[in-house]
Amino acid sequence: MTAPSPAADPTGGSADPTGGSADPTGGSADHDGHGRRDAYGRRDGRDGLHRLPPPRPAYDAHTWKEIAYLLLNLPVTLFGFTYAFTLLAVGGALTVTVIGLPLLALSLLGARQLGKLERARARTLLGVRVEEPTPLPLARGGGPVQRLWMALKDPVGWRTLLYDVVRLPWGILTFCTVLTSLFVLWPVLPYLARGMANLDRAMVRGLLSPSDELERRIAELESDRGVVVDTAAADLRRIERDLHDGAQARLVNLAMGLGLAKEKLLEDPDTAASMVEEAHGEVKLALQELRDLARGIHPAVLTDRGLDAALSSVAARCTVPVAVAVDLSGRPAAAIEGIAYFTVSELLQNISKHSGARTASVDVWRADDRLLIQVRDDGRGGARLDNGSGIRGLAERLGAVDGLFVVDSPPGGPTVVTAELPWRDRQK
């Protein structure tokens, strides 16, 4: 007696002899209720058959932005080419006249604005983040001739004009390709748009970006020069104020006292002697103030014995016990050594006045071509660079010599200040 054949499945499958129900896709349900098996016996223990990832549209928002950018290339490049060619031709032809060079300079300034619009278009539609070039400092350029020369040699304006000229064929190509593909080659248009948009991104980065390192370095040096000038002027004003209010006032009193003593020398020798004694005390105070002032300009111990002895001397005057560790095989240049000394001195004064710390430490060492300084204290913390305090002035002074200044001071402490200076060997 033969076994009964399985019931036919209208979809082409067969009933499961184990009692599972038929799967309309060609698989079968598992009798234990823990999922289904596909036609090859594989089980998905969660919700049945292995499924493909959900479909995603080829024309997503990103693709449409790229298509819009490529379609806009033609009108934008036509305008840019017309602007560049016309002004270059007219300005170049008129260079033999008085108005030629000024017209060319104005065209370069206008090209900067066209480049700004192109960077904005690329940023909005292509997601290309290109830094804006540094503005021309025309207000500080001196006379008209200097400002004219500054505009004429502007590399950003010339690169923008070059960008407008060379992109005309590319703008025509991208516009025609995208417009045709929208009706004929729409299945592959997303891939074409991505490839052409990547070339546009490369052109924007190559021709419309600032001269990266060189231009940033120029901007930094201009800013640092201003900081150095302001710092030097502030130091001179401080020295003048200290001399006027301190030693100079005492020397004036000394001269007046000695004049009165001279008048009383014959009439009242005892009073004259007392006045000379007071003058002697004034001389000692004036000398001490002059020493302190000289120490504030450049301490003698730093010149004679270096950072280790000078920082130990500063730490000894701090109201908080300070551990000083200096690990240097040689001495840096005098300017770097002076900045390091005054940085630590200012930080230790802040610790004495504001931190409420019980202990502090100063570590100085060299790492390759950098001089590193780290000052710690266990005070209340909360020190910040943006509160207009002397710490901000220290950061600006270090930045003027390519240094770094980092403050880590959470509320409640501890405070760790790290300063970094370029190492330059001391000249023999």
Side-chain angles (χ1 to χ4, degrees):
M1 183 176 178
T2 60
S5 60
D9 190 326
T11 62
S14 61
D16 189 350
T18 61
S21 59
D23 186 350
T25 62
S28 61
D30 200 352
H31 72 282
D32 56 6
H34 295 293
R36 290 178 292 177
R37 296 178 182 272
D38 61 13
Y40 300 97
R42 295 175 299 190
R43 176 189 294 176
D44 186 345
R46 297 181 61 184
D47 59 350
L49 297 176
H50 293 277
R51 289 187 173 89
L52 294 173
R56 291 180 297 179
Y59 289 89
D60 56 4
H62 189 63
T63 302
W64 281 116
K65 287 183 178 181
E66 291 177 338
I67 292 173
Y69 184 90
L70 296 171
L71 289 175
L72 286 173
N73 271 351
L74 181 60
V76 171
T77 53
L78 277 175
F79 178 80
F81 179 84
T82 304
Y83 175 87
F85 185 79
T86 302
L87 289 178
L88 283 176
V90 174
L94 293 178
T95 52
V96 295
T97 67
V98 177
I99 63 172
L101 291 179
L103 180 61
L104 190 57
L106 289 176
S107 68
L108 289 170
L109 294 177
R112 270 182 164 255
Q113 301 305 313
L114 291 180
K116 184 177 182 179
L117 293 176
E118 277 293 279
R119 284 186 290 272
R121 185 168 73 102
R123 183 167 54 249
T124 303
L125 298 178
L126 297 184
V128 178
R129 302 291 177 180
V130 177
E131 295 291 333
E132 294 292 331
T134 305
L136 287 176
L138 296 177
R140 305 194 308 268
V145 176
Q146 287 82 1
R147 289 196 291 270
L148 177 64
W149 177 244
M150 187 182 300
L152 287 174
K153 67 177 184 178
D154 177 26
V156 175
W158 285 110
R159 285 202 309 270
T160 305
L161 289 180
L162 177 63
Y163 177 86
D164 291 330
V165 170
V166 302
R167 275 178 56 85
L168 180 61
W170 176 250
I172 297 173
L173 176 64
T174 56
F175 178 83
C176 296
T177 301
V178 171
L179 189 62
T180 304
S181 300
L182 279 173
F183 300 98
V184 180
L185 300 174
W186 59 266
V188 297
L189 178 56
Y191 304 100
L192 292 175
R194 180 60 51 83
M196 291 186 292
N198 284 339
L199 287 176
D200 268 309
R201 292 183 177 97
M203 282 189 279
V204 170
R205 291 191 181 100
L207 293 176
L208 295 184
S209 61
S211 304
D212 297 332
E213 289 300 324
L214 178 59
E215 187 155 336
R216 279 200 297 268
R217 184 61 178 159
I218 291 173
E220 289 175 0
L221 289 176
E222 288 179 349
S223 175
D224 292 346
R225 181 181 61 185
V227 172
V228 170
V229 172
D230 293 342
T231 301
D235 288 341
L236 288 175
R237 288 193 299 269
R238 177 181 59 82
I239 294 171
E240 181 183 6
R241 184 181 62 250
D242 292 343
L243 284 173
H244 183 271
D245 298 340
Q248 181 180 349
R250 291 194 179 278
L251 291 175
V252 170
N253 291 333
L254 173 63
M256 293 175 61
L258 289 177
L260 293 174
K262 181 180 178 181
E263 293 178 357
K264 293 183 177 293
L265 183 60
L266 298 177
E267 299 176 2
D268 191 354
D270 294 334
T271 303
S274 176
M275 295 176 69
V276 169
E277 185 67 25
E278 292 178 2
H280 184 259
E282 289 288 333
V283 169
K284 290 182 177 178
L285 292 175
L287 287 175
Q288 183 61 40
E289 289 185 356
L290 288 174
R291 291 193 190 99
D292 293 340
L293 181 60
R295 186 183 297 114
I297 298 172
H298 197 83
V301 64
L302 178 62
T303 303
D304 297 337
R305 300 174 57 190
L307 273 176
D308 195 354
L311 295 183
S312 298
S313 175
V314 172
R317 297 196 299 269
C318 185
T319 59
V320 176
V322 181
V324 178
V326 178
D327 184 14
L328 297 176
S329 57
R331 295 182 62 178
I336 300 300
E337 195 175 58
I339 294 174
Y341 171 83
F342 287 111
T343 298
V344 175
S345 177
E346 181 72 22
L347 291 174
L348 290 182
Q349 287 182 24
N350 288 341
I351 291 174
S352 299
K353 296 176 182 178
H354 310 297
S355 70
R358 293 189 300 265
T359 59
S361 64
V362 176
D363 295 288
V364 181
W365 72 98
R366 179 182 178 181
D368 297 329
D369 59 345
R370 308 295 283 181
L371 176 65
L372 300 177
I373 304 167
Q374 195 167 77
V375 179
R376 299 171 176 263
D377 69 76
D378 57 358
R380 64 176 65 94
R384 298 173 58 186
L385 285 173
D386 56 354
N387 58 2
S389 65
I391 295 182
R392 183 175 182 83
L394 288 177
E396 292 176 350
R397 179 173 292 192
L398 265 68
V401 292
D402 286 341
L404 295 175
F405 191 82
V406 179
V407 178
D408 181 15
S409 181
T415 297
V416 180
V417 178
T418 304
E420 185 176 323
L421 289 165
W423 179 277
R424 293 201 298 270
D425 291 325
R426 180 177 289 263
Q427 298 296 325
K428 299 297 185 182

